[in-house]
Amino acid sequence: MKKTYDYVVIGGGIIGIATAVELQARMQGASVAVLEKEAELAIHQTGHNSGVIHAGVYYAPGSMKARFCREGVTATRAFCDEFDIPYKICGKLIVATSEAELERMAALKDRALKNGIEIEDVSQEQLHQLEPHISGVGGLMSPTTGIVNFALIAQTMAQQFENNGGTILRNCSVLKGEEHSSSVTLNTNLGSFEAGQVVVCAGLHSDRMIKAFGHTPDFQVIPFRGEYFRLKNQPDDLVRHLIYPVPDPERPFLGVHLTQKMDGGFTVGPNAVLALKREGYGWGDISLTDTFESISYPGFWRMLAKNIGPALSEIQSSVSKRHYLKKVRRYCKRINLQDLTHYPAGVRAQAVGRDGRIIDDFLFVRTERCLHVGNAPSPAATSAIPISRHIVDSLCQ
C-alpha cells in the first residue's frame, strides 16, 4: 500500500528542510514528508560549506541571489535568535592588494550599494589598524557578514518540523517520479509514495532527479571540489574579520579567503577543482560514471575553454600546497607552509548550460505538480529561508 502525503520534499539539506518547515506553517493541516537518501541530514553541501552568513555584496542587482541573500541574513539571524543557535557577526573585509584591484573594488562597492547592502570604504591606514596582520592597499568593509554552523540550523529546523508532526524518512532514495493529473507517484528503495505536490531539493543530483521525473534539463551539474586548510601556529587574534580577496572577473568563483570558525581557529579556502565524484571530497573519491558524465558533456569543455587559465591555476593549487599558499600570502604574509593543516573539503553543485555558460543565479524548474531546485550555489545556505518562501509561493500559484 502506498503511503500518501499532501506534500513531499526530496532532499534533507538546509533548503529541503526549510521548505518542509515553510509548507507545514503555511498549509495548515497538510501532511508533509521529507525523503532523504542519507542516514543523516545536511551532510553534503549544507555540512561542507564555509559557514559564512553572506551579506550579498557580490551578486548582480535584480538577481534572485541578491534579493534572497539580503532577506536571508535577517531571516537566518532571527531563526538563530529564536532557537539559541550561536552565530557571530564579525564583518567581512574585502582586501585589495594592488591598484588594479582597487579599481575592481570600486565597481564591487557600486554593486553592493545597488543591492541595498551596507558597505564602507577602508583606507590602507584603516586596514592596518583594523587588521595588523593583513597586507593591502585598501579595502571594503561589509559589517553584516557573519559565521554560523548551517548544519546545526538545518538539524534544528528538522527537529522543529518533526515536533510539529512532520515526517522525515532517512535512507530513502527516490528512483523515479511520475506525475498524474491529481498526484505524483514516487518509487523509492523503501516502496512507493503518493503526493499531491513534490518539491525536489536534490543538490548535487538536481539534474538527475529532473530526468528521473521524465524531463530533460537544459543544464548539467558539474561538481567542483573546494579544498580548505585549517591554520595552526597562529594567534587567536590573527584576524578579527573575515578576509576576502577582490574577486577576479576572469574567474567564476570568489577565491581563497581567511575565515573564522565557530569552534575556534581559522581556515583558508576554498579553491575549485573538478570533483571526480558528485559527492567526492578527496582525490581518492572517484566514480567512473560521474567522471564520464562530466567530461562527456559538451558544456563542460565549452566552460573549460572559456576559463582555461583559471582552471589550470586551480589544479596547480590543488596539487601544490606551495602554490595554494601564494594565494593566501598575497594578503597575509605571516602564514607559512607548515601552518596549513587538513580540513574537510566541500563539493559545489554547479549548473552549466550546453553552451558552457556557468549558471550564476538560482534556478527553479516548475512542472504541473513538481518544483525542482535546479541550481542553488552559494549563498544558498544564507538564503534558505527566503528560498523556501519563494518555493511555497510558487506552489500556491
Side-chain angles (χ1 to χ4, degrees), residues 116-147:
I117 305 302
E118 187 177 352
I119 198 81
E120 303 166 7
D121 285 312
V122 176
S123 68
Q124 187 172 23
E125 181 180 356
Q126 290 171 323
L127 176 61
H128 182 70
Q129 291 173 348
L130 289 169
E131 295 291 359
H133 299 138
I134 297 300
S135 302
V137 295
L140 287 175
M141 168 66 81
S142 167
T144 58
T145 300
I147 55 173

Side-chain angles (χ1 to χ4, degrees), residues 65 224 247-255 272 303 306-307 310-311 314 348 350 358 360:
K65 270 189 176 183
F224 285 94
D248 185 339
E250 295 184 3
R251 295 174 183 265
F253 304 121
L254 292 180
M303 174 193 66
K306 296 175 183 178
N307 298 280
E314 294 296 297
R348 169 182 176 141
Q350 179 59 64
I358 291 176
D360 191 50

Side-chain angles (χ1 to χ4, degrees), residues 59-131:
Y59 314 122
S63 66
M64 285 186 286
K65 270 189 176 183
R67 177 164 63 90
F68 291 160
C69 188
R70 185 175 60 248
E71 296 171 3
V73 174
T74 302
T76 298
R77 292 177 64 174
F79 184 87
C80 291
D81 289 337
E82 181 178 356
F83 292 94
D84 295 321
I85 297 173
Y87 67 95
K88 182 179 180 182
I89 302 301
C90 46
K92 173 198 295 184
L93 266 173
I94 303 170
V95 178
T97 58
S98 68
E99 292 299 321
E101 288 185 348
L102 278 178
E103 293 179 13
R104 297 209 304 267
M105 201 168 64
L108 195 61
K109 179 185 177 183
D110 181 63
R111 173 172 284 197
L113 292 173
K114 287 179 179 177
N115 284 335
I117 305 302
E118 187 177 352
I119 198 81
E120 303 166 7
D121 285 312
V122 176
S123 68
Q124 187 172 23
E125 181 180 356
Q126 290 171 323
L127 176 61
H128 182 70
Q129 291 173 348
L130 289 169
E131 295 291 359

Side-chain angles (χ1 to χ4, degrees), residues 141-200:
M141 168 66 81
S142 167
T144 58
T145 300
I147 55 173
V148 74
N149 182 335
F150 283 111
L152 179 57
I153 292 178
Q155 291 155 7
T156 304
M157 287 178 172
Q159 187 64 60
Q160 175 196 11
F161 173 70
E162 289 185 302
N163 289 346
N164 290 330
T167 299
I168 299 179
L169 296 175
R170 298 161 176 83
N171 296 308
C172 182
S173 298
V174 176
L175 308 175
K176 183 180 179 182
E178 186 175 354
E179 292 186 51
H180 309 291
S181 59
S182 60
S183 66
V184 182
T185 299
L186 302 174
N187 295 325
T188 81
N189 62 316
L190 300 182
S192 294
F193 296 84
E194 200 83 14
Q197 294 192 81
V198 172
V199 179
V200 185

Side-chain angles (χ1 to χ4, degrees), residues 37-56:
K37 69 182 179 65
E38 304 289 358
E40 301 177 39
L41 303 174
I43 67 170
H44 289 300
Q45 292 187 106
T46 304
H48 284 82
N49 60 42
S50 62
V52 175
I53 304 172
H54 292 283

Side-chain angles (χ1 to χ4, degrees), residues 90-388:
C90 46
K92 173 198 295 184
L93 266 173
I94 303 170
V95 178
T97 58
S98 68
E99 292 299 321
E101 288 185 348
L102 278 178
E103 293 179 13
R104 297 209 304 267
M105 201 168 64
L108 195 61
K109 179 185 177 183
D110 181 63
R111 173 172 284 197
L113 292 173
K114 287 179 179 177
N115 284 335
I117 305 302
E118 187 177 352
I119 198 81
E120 303 166 7
D121 285 312
V122 176
S123 68
Q124 187 172 23
E125 181 180 356
Q126 290 171 323
L127 176 61
H128 182 70
Q129 291 173 348
L130 289 169
E131 295 291 359
H133 299 138
I134 297 300
S135 302
V137 295
L140 287 175
M141 168 66 81
S142 167
T144 58
T145 300
I147 55 173
V148 74
N149 182 335
F150 283 111
L152 179 57
I153 292 178
Q155 291 155 7
T156 304
M157 287 178 172
Q159 187 64 60
Q160 175 196 11
F161 173 70
E162 289 185 302
N163 289 346
N164 290 330
T167 299
I168 299 179
L169 296 175
R170 298 161 176 83
N171 296 308
C172 182
S173 298
V174 176
L175 308 175
K176 183 180 179 182
E178 186 175 354
E179 292 186 51
H180 309 291
S181 59
S182 60
S183 66
V184 182
T185 299
L186 302 174
N187 295 325
T188 81
N189 62 316
L190 300 182
S192 294
F193 296 84
E194 200 83 14
Q197 294 192 81
V198 172
V199 179
V200 185
C201 306
L204 285 152
H205 302 278
S206 65
D207 56 336
R208 290 174 173 172
M209 288 306 301
I210 291 172
K211 293 176 183 177
F213 277 71
H215 307 292
T216 302
D218 58 1
F219 67 90
Q220 182 170 304
V221 169
I222 303 295
F224 285 94
R225 187 172 66 254
E227 297 162 324
Y228 296 83
F229 289 99
R230 183 179 281 278
L231 297 182
K232 64 177 183 178
N233 307 321
Q234 295 295 336
D236 293 339
D237 63 349
L238 173 64
V239 291
R240 293 187 289 269
H241 305 82
L242 310 181
I243 308 300
Y244 276 63
V246 178
D248 185 339
E250 295 184 3
R251 295 174 183 265
F253 304 121
L254 292 180
V256 172
H257 45 269
L258 177 54
T259 308
Q260 298 180 43
K261 307 306 291 182
M262 287 301 300
D263 58 356
F266 306 92
T267 61
V268 291
N271 61 356
V273 294
L274 177 68
L276 302 181
K277 184 179 181 182
R278 293 229 181 172
E279 289 154 0
Y281 299 103
W283 278 110
D285 294 327
I286 300 172
S287 163
L288 295 180
T289 299
D290 290 357
T291 303
F292 178 76
E293 201 169 64
S294 291
I295 65 175
S296 64
Y297 179 57
F300 169 76
W301 295 103
R302 291 167 182 149
M303 174 193 66
L304 184 62
K306 296 175 183 178
N307 298 280
I308 188 65
L312 292 174
S313 176
E314 294 296 297
I315 292 172
Q316 188 176 0
S317 70
S318 179
V319 300
S320 169
K321 191 184 288 189
R322 290 184 182 278
H323 190 268
Y324 198 112
L325 179 66
K326 287 180 181 178
K327 297 182 179 183
V328 181
R329 285 179 59 86
R330 291 182 61 231
Y331 55 78
C332 190
K333 301 192 185 308
R334 66 172 289 137
I335 298 175
N336 297 306
L337 198 64
Q338 61 269 24
D339 299 333
L340 303 182
T341 63
H342 174 74
Y343 190 81
V347 178
R348 169 182 176 141
Q350 179 59 64
V352 177
R354 289 188 65 85
D355 61 357
R357 177 176 58 93
I358 291 176
I359 299 172
D360 191 50
D361 208 354
F362 300 130
L363 173 67
F364 303 93
V365 178
R366 186 76 165 98
T367 61
E368 186 176 353
R369 292 198 163 270
C370 298
L371 188 148
H372 295 258
V373 180
N375 189 50
S378 179
T382 302
S383 308
I385 294 174
I387 287 174
S388 73

